[in-house]
Amino acid sequence: MSPTPPARRLRLGLPRRVFSQVLLMQLAVAAGVAVLATGLFLAPLSKQLDQEAMRRALAIARTTAQDPQIAEGVLTTPPTRDGPVQREAERIRHATDAEYIVVLNKQKIRWSHPTPGRIGHPVSTSPREALAGKEVMEIDKGTLGRSARGKVPLYDSRHRIVGAVSVGIAYDSVRARLLHAIPGLFAYAGGALAVGALAAWLISRRVQRQTRDLAFSDISALLSEREAMLHGIREGVVALDRSGRVRLLNDEARRLLGIGDEAIGKSPDEALGAGRTTDVLAGRVAGTDLLTVRGQRVLVANRMPTDDGGAVATLRDRTELERLGRELDSTRGLIDALRAQDHEHANRMHTLLGLLELEMYDDAVEFVGEVVGDHRATAEQVTEKIQDPLLAALLVGKATVAAERAVALWVSEDTWLPDQLVDPRGLVTVVGNLVDNALDAVAGTPHARVEVELRTEGRTAVLRVRDTGPGIPEDQRELVFTEGWSTKRPPAHGKRGLGLSLVRRLAERQGGGATVGAAAGGGAEFTVVLPEALTEAPAEPAPHPAPGGCGAAPVDVPVAEEEAR
């Protein structure tokens, strides 16, 4: 037999939903304010009614004391029930609806009283101040109960004090007025409370819609999870409000964009400056997986609008992927070049084998010397003009790739670069991108040729890459440096349109620039100026005669000439 489940205990406390808690708190505040306002209004009202009753009693006492019959009666008649003082006092009392009017002499003997049996007897409360010439207002208790009193001195015709007049207003009437005002006051307070409750309900409903009817604990958990997620993911997240200002940055976004908390509250233009990254974050460039460059980083950005009019942008770092993709392209090019060289080497070996079989030993020795000398001359020509080993190795490798693609890659006779570069890897990136673009532009065209010129002006390095391709229209010469802009089909590993943008950014980071124009005889000519590229100004190089008297030294022999030989 299954055990009986324990009885559930009733749990008292605030409801869990934000809507219910906000509504209860606002109702409590509205009720508290109504009660407090009512109390604050009743307290001065009671005091005001007391003051009003005392002033009225004092005014009646003054009016009575100014009647000449009252003072004359006190001086000339005895205190009796039907005396002139009693008759006049009662007339005034009935006319003013006072509780009592007591006229007394200096010996405190009553000349009038609402109860005739008390006439001729001393008063119960001391009239000392009134007999001393002072007017008195007070709330006191006498033989007729609690009342609001006014006491004034009684003067004769010679302005001598002959007694006093005491007038009382029943305190029950004051209390009745106060109690009569309370229902109306509560009605107003109830109306105000009802309006406050309605406003509280409307506000709570709005809060309910905005919080999606979640509990406070759920909201707290969501905030904690959001913070952990935002700062834990390896994608940059930038949130913007409806005004287009940054309101949130996670750690990865700070790292990728190179900004900190100072960007919070600023627009992307103010935080990042002009550029494609700013245009993407601001929504001026639409699309998905938009490529952009920030510093030396290649980023993929996506922007999604939110319901409140803002937006959330995500940033992925694909710098390493782009680098690996370019290395893959270079590796494929080298593999193709090695395959071609392998084929060429096999042909040479067959030629050499034939010469040896024919016992033409002298011709075989001469053939081997020519082959080895050509390759040695190619490397020597590059290293004589470009003494940086990384850059020289790059151009020798690019020459092999160019030969495979039936393109002549030449180094200008004016080229000379010493081994004094501050950032050789940066210059390798610039030269590699420009040469690759030039090879792509001229590939498949007749008499394809690419010429590289590298020279120094003091500590400034000037690079020019010319080609014999179709060139770049004048209206597109600035667009080619925009991230993501390209006229070529994308490679297998990703998108194009980053090389020239990186070239310009590397140049601008060193205070230089990159431009493109038309080359002499057609094609495009890219010029990159890199100030402070050398550690010190180099000495003038010794002149190197160009082989065969040509104006430029070929890095590799053109394919057509080699086949003819």
Side-chain angles (χ1 to χ4, degrees):
M1 186 175 182
S2 60
T4 303
R8 296 179 60 184
R9 293 187 301 173
L10 181 62
R11 298 181 61 182
L12 299 177
L14 288 174
R16 295 181 66 249
R17 300 295 178 187
V18 175
F19 162 75
S20 303
Q21 290 194 30
V22 171
L23 179 59
L24 287 179
M25 287 187 288
Q26 288 185 323
L27 288 177
V29 169
V33 170
V35 171
L36 180 61
T38 302
L40 293 176
F41 182 78
L42 286 176
L45 177 62
S46 176
K47 185 176 180 180
Q48 180 181 357
L49 292 176
D50 290 346
Q51 291 289 334
E52 182 181 346
M54 290 187 292
R55 285 195 295 268
R56 180 172 168 233
L58 185 62
I60 296 172
R62 288 173 178 170
T63 302
T64 304
Q66 291 175 359
D67 189 342
Q69 297 180 10
I70 299 295
E72 183 179 355
V74 171
L75 293 176
T76 60
T77 62
T80 59
R81 295 184 177 186
D82 55 353
V85 176
Q86 171 69 359
R87 290 195 303 270
E88 186 65 19
E90 285 298 296
R91 184 188 67 80
I92 296 174
R93 184 176 73 85
H94 289 297
T96 59
D97 201 22
E99 183 181 19
Y100 66 86
I101 297 178
V102 176
V103 180
L104 54 114
N105 63 0
K106 295 182 67 174
Q107 286 74 35
K108 305 177 184 179
I109 302 300
R110 298 186 183 100
W111 250 254
S112 67
H113 196 278
T115 305
R118 296 182 185 275
I119 297 174
H121 296 279
V123 295
S124 58
T125 56
S126 175
R128 182 176 60 253
E129 294 181 349
L131 294 176
K134 298 180 180 179
E135 294 183 345
V136 179
M137 289 192 311
E138 61 184 359
I139 302 291
D140 202 356
K141 186 175 182 181
T143 57
L144 297 178
R146 191 173 181 83
S147 60
R149 301 181 178 184
K151 298 178 181 180
V152 297
L154 181 63
Y155 296 95
D156 62 4
S157 58
R158 297 182 181 181
H159 202 69
R160 293 179 301 180
I161 296 177
V162 295
V165 177
S166 177
V167 177
I169 303 296
Y171 197 73
D172 289 340
S173 63
V174 177
R175 182 180 302 170
R177 291 181 61 190
L178 178 62
L179 295 177
H180 180 73
I182 289 178
L185 183 61
F186 280 169
Y188 286 117
L193 181 60
V195 173
L198 178 61
W201 184 81
L202 293 175
I203 294 174
S204 300
R205 288 290 297 174
R206 178 177 176 83
V207 172
Q208 182 184 27
R209 289 193 300 270
Q210 291 183 338
T211 60
R212 303 178 187 271
D213 201 22
L214 294 174
F216 277 115
S217 57
D218 297 333
I219 295 176
S220 177
L222 286 175
L223 287 175
S224 300
E225 293 168 1
R226 189 201 72 160
E227 289 298 314
M229 179 183 66
L230 286 178
H231 297 290
I233 61 177
R234 299 305 298 168
E235 284 193 3
V237 178
V238 181
L240 300 101
D241 59 19
R242 66 177 60 190
S243 300
R245 299 186 177 276
V246 178
R247 63 182 175 187
L248 183 143
L249 287 168
N250 70 342
D251 296 340
E252 185 68 4
R254 290 182 174 91
R255 184 183 72 85
L256 295 178
L257 298 177
I259 56 178
D261 291 336
E262 71 279 357
I264 303 296
K266 297 181 179 178
S267 65
D269 298 271
E270 296 170 339
L272 302 177
R276 179 176 170 84
T277 304
T278 299
D279 294 337
V280 170
L281 294 181
R284 292 190 287 267
V285 178
T288 59
D289 292 338
L290 298 172
L291 286 175
T292 179
V293 177
R294 177 67 179 174
Q296 291 185 323
R297 299 187 182 279
V298 179
L299 306 177
V300 177
N302 285 281
R303 188 179 187 274
M304 179 67 67
T306 56
D307 294 338
D308 62 352
V312 174
T314 59
L315 304 169
R316 284 177 289 158
D317 188 359
R318 58 177 294 148
T319 306
E320 293 300 319
L321 180 61
E322 191 68 25
R323 183 181 63 82
L324 292 175
R326 288 180 174 275
E327 290 181 358
L328 178 61
D329 288 343
S330 299
T331 302
R332 287 177 175 173
L334 288 175
I335 291 175
D336 292 339
L338 289 175
R339 186 181 296 113
Q341 286 188 346
D342 178 65
H343 178 71
E344 180 184 356
H345 179 69
N347 291 335
R348 289 171 177 172
M349 292 300 295
H350 292 157
T351 302
L352 179 61
L353 178 61
L355 291 174
L356 292 176
E357 289 180 350
L358 295 175
E359 298 182 355
M360 301 173 64
Y361 303 114
D362 293 337
D363 292 335
V365 171
E366 182 180 357
F367 177 74
V368 172
E370 288 179 358
V371 171
V372 173
D374 286 344
H375 287 282
R376 183 181 297 112
T378 298
E380 288 177 354
Q381 289 169 6
V382 173
T383 55
E384 283 179 358
K385 293 180 175 296
I386 300 176
Q387 298 181 1
D388 182 80
L390 289 178
L391 200 54
L394 172 71
L395 289 176
V396 171
K398 293 297 182 183
T400 304
V401 176
E404 169 63 17
R405 302 177 68 176
V407 178
L409 180 62
W410 296 71
V411 174
S412 171
E413 184 182 43
D414 296 330
T415 294
W416 185 74
L417 185 72
D419 187 14
Q420 298 174 356
L421 291 176
V422 174
D423 183 16
R425 293 183 180 274
L427 188 55
V428 165
T429 299
V430 172
V431 174
N433 279 311
L434 293 180
V435 171
D436 285 343
N437 287 342
L439 292 178
D440 290 340
V442 301
T445 63
H447 308 294
R449 171 172 167 165
V450 174
E451 182 177 351
V452 178
E453 177 184 331
L454 259 171
R455 58 186 176 82
T456 60
E457 297 177 358
R459 294 181 58 190
T460 300
V462 180
L463 166 66
R464 288 188 174 89
V465 177
R466 308 177 186 92
D467 62 64
T468 57
I472 298 175
E474 187 174 355
D475 59 343
Q476 296 182 1
R477 289 177 183 174
E478 280 300 314
L479 292 177
V480 297
F481 294 103
T482 304
E483 299 97 325
W485 191 93
S486 178
T487 59
K488 296 177 287 186
R489 294 179 59 186
H493 63 82
K495 298 183 178 181
R496 290 191 179 273
L498 297 176
L500 292 178
S501 175
L502 287 173
V503 167
R504 172 167 279 187
R505 287 185 179 274
L506 286 171
E508 290 177 348
R509 190 182 64 180
Q510 298 184 22
T515 58
V516 61
E525 177 178 299
F526 285 85
T527 303
V528 179
V529 179
L530 301 173
E532 310 296 328
L534 303 179
T535 56
E536 60 183 11
E540 289 296 328
H544 297 280
C550 299
V555 172
D556 197 5
V557 179
V559 175
E561 295 180 10
E562 189 169 340
E563 290 179 350
R565 187 172 60 212

